[in-house]
Amino acid sequence: MSSKPWGGRFSQGTDPLVEEFTASISFDQALYRYDIQGSIAHTRMLAKVGILTEEEAKAIVRGLLEIQQEIEAGSFPFSLELEDIHMNIERRLAERIGPVAGKLHTARSRNDQVALDLRLYLREEIGQIDRSLIDLQEALVEMAERYIEVILPGYTHLQRAQPILFSHHLLAYHEMLKRDRQRYADCLKRVEVCPLGAGALAGTSLPIDRFHTAELLGFPEVTHNSLDSVGDRDFALEFLAASAILMMHLSRLCEEWILWSSAEFNFLEIADAFCTGSSLMPQKKNPDVLELVRGKSGRVYGSLVSLLTTMKGLPLAYNKDLQEDKEPIFDAVRTVKASLNVLTCLLPHVRPKEEVMHRAAQGGFMTATDLVEYLVNRGVPLRQAHEIVGRMVRYCLEQNRELEELSWEEAVGFSPALQPDFKQWLSLERSVEGKRSYGGTARERVMERIREIRSS
Ligand code: ARG
């Protein structure tokens, strides 16, 4: 006879190597709170349908709550031989309240139990991540407000393209984070579905009330197929996919700011407290925080690919392979939360170097497109206007001059539509102010968007 909860059928004890290899307690103990929460709801449901008496249910619930305190006090005797958090808690319950503990697992399997634990865990973590996302969004908006007027070159192909507001750049990331929040919220709909009652895979002959359990847990729905309930982790994959996309967004912001804080760009100053030095080169100041967030995006992609790969060949329903879902999920949760928090703290310590940015946006024909639109406004077809300004640019390049330096007499030679006021259209401020189309970089539009954000 083995001492395992499943020992009845076994004539030999488990080989210690197997015990160590198959155990998940070292990491799934992180689920203890959810395991207990799920067990309490299950117990109450069993009492409601008459499988447990009220006294039995009370004893079990009290025992479970004491175990929770024990775990939180750090005095719970976790045991590898008991494999996972579910059996550790159940065995401890028996030690505390005696044989009635043996009724807790009625109409339940660890298969539906662990699926529930993971769902409860993700519901909680999605809530926390959402709050962190709101904080980072808020930090972006505050920064956008503080530097509302700062102009810098906008890039395409990493070549200077058209002047934009720094605040507009910041709000672009705000939009990305908004969609990240939507993705998590959407994923939450598939997380908040109660699998308990699926049993090992087929359901149960006992008269349980799955809807009552779901209600007790605050889950709006129950799963509809017992095999699917214990066999899939697509809700977790969605969570990891949303996390991977979020990390991609954070990584792009970091990449951009790493470039901008280089001597080559010199657009940003990051406070010393948020940089680190080199052990060899005394002059170095490195944007390690940004680099690490960028680097950690790889880890989260890894978690997604890891679980996808674990799942892809599994026949229905539960397979022990699924135990491999937890570590990548836990790691992704930790990484996402840490990355969001550090960036939120970093933002107020990043200062745009206004003059450098402005200088970089000047010259280089950054407002040539504005001149095209000037001509279009005067009835010149776009293609022709493009050609005219293209020729003016080439003329300037040959003479090493800027468009602003052309006299009206020279300019009018390229097109009679050019009026003496054409130069006014070439200033950076005018260019930015002109971009009033909805979603454009005009200050007026950016402020309007900030107001919309603030009032939503
Ligand atoms: N520790 C297991 C897991 O994380 C719990 C479910 C085990 N079920 C089983 N039939 N062995 O997946």
Side-chain angles (χ1 to χ4, degrees), residues 350-401:
V350 175
R351 186 180 63 81
K353 294 186 177 173
E354 212 166 314
E355 316 78 62
V356 183
M357 285 179 162
H358 201 270
R359 222 177 306 126
Q362 253 157 358
F365 311 100
M366 290 282 286
T367 53
T369 313
D370 296 282
L371 199 53
V372 172
E373 290 184 355
Y374 169 98
L375 289 171
V376 168
N377 268 321
R378 278 160 185 73
V380 182
L382 180 278
R383 276 286 151 241
Q384 208 182 318
H386 190 286
E387 162 77 23
I388 292 165
V389 178
R391 278 192 280 109
M392 290 172 79
V393 168
R394 197 174 65 211
Y395 175 80
C396 288
L397 281 171
E398 280 162 7
Q399 304 193 16
N400 203 11
R401 292 161 76 196

Side-chain angles (χ1 to χ4, degrees), residues 263-445:
E264 281 67 17
F265 275 88
N266 193 28
F267 281 2
L268 290 180
E269 182 70 40
I270 305 173
D272 285 3
F274 281 82
C275 291
T276 53
S278 156
S279 58
L280 177 63
M281 301 166 283
Q283 85 286 7
K284 288 297 295 289
K285 177 173 156 184
N286 300 325
D288 288 31
V289 169
L290 297 170
E291 292 169 85
L292 261 180
V293 171
R294 183 179 60 183
K296 282 177 190 293
S297 62
R299 244 177 123 118
V300 176
Y301 298 0
S303 290
L304 171 61
V305 173
S306 159
L307 186 55
L308 278 171
T309 312
T310 296
M311 303 277 323
K312 76 179 271 286
L314 297 185
L316 291 181
Y318 178 85
N319 298 268
K320 185 74 165 178
D321 314 46
L322 290 174
Q323 183 165 287
E324 289 295 308
D325 61 358
K326 284 167 214 54
E327 287 165 293
I329 293 172
F330 295 164
D331 191 77
V333 163
R334 250 193 318 272
T335 307
V336 164
K337 290 202 299 196
S339 303
L340 288 171
N341 292 341
V342 78
L343 282 180
T344 303
C345 295
L346 170 88
L347 249 60
H349 301 275
V350 175
R351 186 180 63 81
K353 294 186 177 173
E354 212 166 314
E355 316 78 62
V356 183
M357 285 179 162
H358 201 270
R359 222 177 306 126
Q362 253 157 358
F365 311 100
M366 290 282 286
T367 53
T369 313
D370 296 282
L371 199 53
V372 172
E373 290 184 355
Y374 169 98
L375 289 171
V376 168
N377 268 321
R378 278 160 185 73
V380 182
L382 180 278
R383 276 286 151 241
Q384 208 182 318
H386 190 286
E387 162 77 23
I388 292 165
V389 178
R391 278 192 280 109
M392 290 172 79
V393 168
R394 197 174 65 211
Y395 175 80
C396 288
L397 281 171
E398 280 162 7
Q399 304 193 16
N400 203 11
R401 292 161 76 196
E402 293 287 342
L403 285 171
E404 298 84 317
E405 291 162 20
L406 296 183
S407 67
W408 176 58
E409 288 72 22
E410 282 175 291
V412 85
F414 289 91
S415 165
L418 284 164
Q419 304 292 309
D421 70 347
F422 82 96
K423 278 193 217 180
Q424 288 168 24
W425 293 80
L426 296 173
S427 84
L428 294 182
E429 287 71 18
R430 185 85 176 238
S431 166
V432 168
E433 279 322 296
K435 305 298 185 305
R436 286 198 198 90
S437 54
Y438 187 80
T441 194
R443 181 193 146 109
E444 183 185 327
R445 284 283 167 263

Side-chain angles (χ1 to χ4, degrees), residues 10 16 33 84 139 144-145 152 176 186 242 262 272 300 320 338 341 343 368 385 390 396 408 422 439 442 447 451:
F10 285 74
R33 234 169 356 110
D84 57 26
E145 276 177 326
L152 80 162
M176 296 176 220
D186 202 58
S262 69
D272 285 3
V300 176
K320 185 74 165 178
N341 292 341
L343 282 180
C396 288
W408 176 58
F422 82 96
M447 303 239 299
R451 278 195 299 277

Side-chain angles (χ1 to χ4, degrees), residues 3-5 59-64 66-67 70 76-77 82 86-105:
S3 62
K4 307 284 184 198
I60 292 174
V61 169
R62 196 175 327 116
L64 287 168
E66 282 166 14
I67 288 173
E70 211 180 357
F76 185 93
L82 290 168
H86 324 297
M87 295 200 291
N88 266 269
I89 289 178
E90 198 186 324
R91 175 60 60 86
R92 188 70 181 147
L93 189 65
E95 284 166 12
R96 287 180 152 272
I97 67 170
V100 67
K103 296 196 173 188
L104 164 63
H105 211 50

Side-chain angles (χ1 to χ4, degrees), residues 6 22-25 27-28 31 83-87 109-115 200 233 318-326:
W6 37 259
T22 56
S24 53
I25 188 62
F27 51 86
D28 69 10
L31 294 175
E83 201 180 310
D84 57 26
I85 187 64
H86 324 297
M87 295 200 291
S109 153
R110 280 184 294 152
N111 297 352
D112 53 350
Q113 187 178 359
V114 73
R233 294 289 183 269
Y318 178 85
N319 298 268
K320 185 74 165 178
D321 314 46
L322 290 174
Q323 183 165 287
E324 289 295 308
D325 61 358
K326 284 167 214 54

